[in-house]
């Protein structure tokens, strides 16, 4: 299945080929979707400053919106090989690493202010994880940032 977010209509849609399997309405302005290791789907709902987890049939399972995350505009999300969420919060100029099972904030890159240089971002717009390599599109700095994470 392919999961598509139509920000203008607020619809998250599950399709394969020409068949629409499921739809979830009311997510106006939401941006990105990512598939978790267990097949569930995460939606970055920047308009409501939250992340939402759905079943494969788009039934809402979990919402991450606790103030401890400090979300201002989480627009992009990916899932690493450990099932952790990697979130580009564009309006907060930060990248967050979250364990969705424990709802624990593991780490933050960026201090909430636009900046350039190591651990600083100005409107990060993309997040992609490939193995232990994390890529971020730092849009207002016109760069792609690459971090290699090594865990002991």
């Amino acid at each position: 299945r392919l999961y598509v977010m139509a920000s203008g209509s607020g619809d998250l849609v599950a399709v394969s080929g020409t068949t629409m399997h499921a739809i979830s309405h009311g997510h106006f302005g939401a941006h990105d979707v990512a598939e978790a290791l267990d097949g569930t789907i995460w939606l970055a709902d920047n308009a409501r400053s939250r992340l939402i987890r759905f079943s494969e049939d788009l039934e809402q399972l979990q919402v991450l919106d606790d103030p401890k995350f400090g979300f201002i505009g989480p627009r992009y999300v990916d899932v690493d090989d450990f099932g952790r969420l990697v979130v580009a919060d564009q309006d907060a100029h930060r990248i967050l690493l979250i364990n969705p099972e424990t709802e624990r904030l593991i780490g933050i890159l960026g201090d909430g202010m636009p900046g350039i240089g190591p651990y600083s971002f100005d409107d990060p717009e993309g997040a992609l994880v490939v193995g232990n390599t994390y890529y971020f599109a730092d849009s207002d700095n016109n760069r792609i940032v690459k971090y290699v994470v090594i865990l002991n």
Side-chain angles (χ1 to χ4, degrees), residues 34-55:
E35 186 174 354
L37 302 177
D38 63 2
T40 58
I41 305 303
W42 283 97
L43 172 69
D45 184 357
N46 64 295
R48 293 189 180 97
S49 299
R50 64 186 184 168
L51 302 175
I52 307 170
R53 184 169 66 106
F54 293 92
S55 71

Side-chain angles (χ1 to χ4, degrees), residues 43-106:
L43 172 69
D45 184 357
N46 64 295
R48 293 189 180 97
S49 299
R50 64 186 184 168
L51 302 175
I52 307 170
R53 184 169 66 106
F54 293 92
S55 71
E56 293 175 356
D57 294 320
L58 300 183
E59 295 175 31
Q60 186 173 307
L61 302 173
Q62 182 180 7
V63 176
L64 297 179
D65 61 356
D66 192 288
K68 69 183 170 192
F69 300 120
F71 291 141
I72 297 176
R75 281 184 171 82
Y76 303 92
V77 62
D78 202 1
V79 180
D80 71 11
D81 291 344
F82 299 98
R84 300 174 301 202
L85 303 176
V86 180
V87 182
D89 191 337
Q90 183 178 8
D91 294 338
H93 311 286
R94 302 180 312 153
I95 306 294
L96 296 91
L97 184 63
I98 299 170
N99 180 329
E101 297 303 317
T102 61
E103 298 191 9
R104 180 174 165 244
L105 179 61
I106 297 170

Side-chain angles (χ1 to χ4, degrees), residues 115-125 136-147:
I116 190 166
Y119 316 112
S120 295
F121 301 91
D122 191 353
D123 289 341
E125 290 202 53
F136 306 106
D138 188 13
S139 64
D140 283 1
N141 286 322
N142 298 310
R143 66 182 184 160
I144 302 294
V145 180
K146 174 183 171 184
Y147 289 94

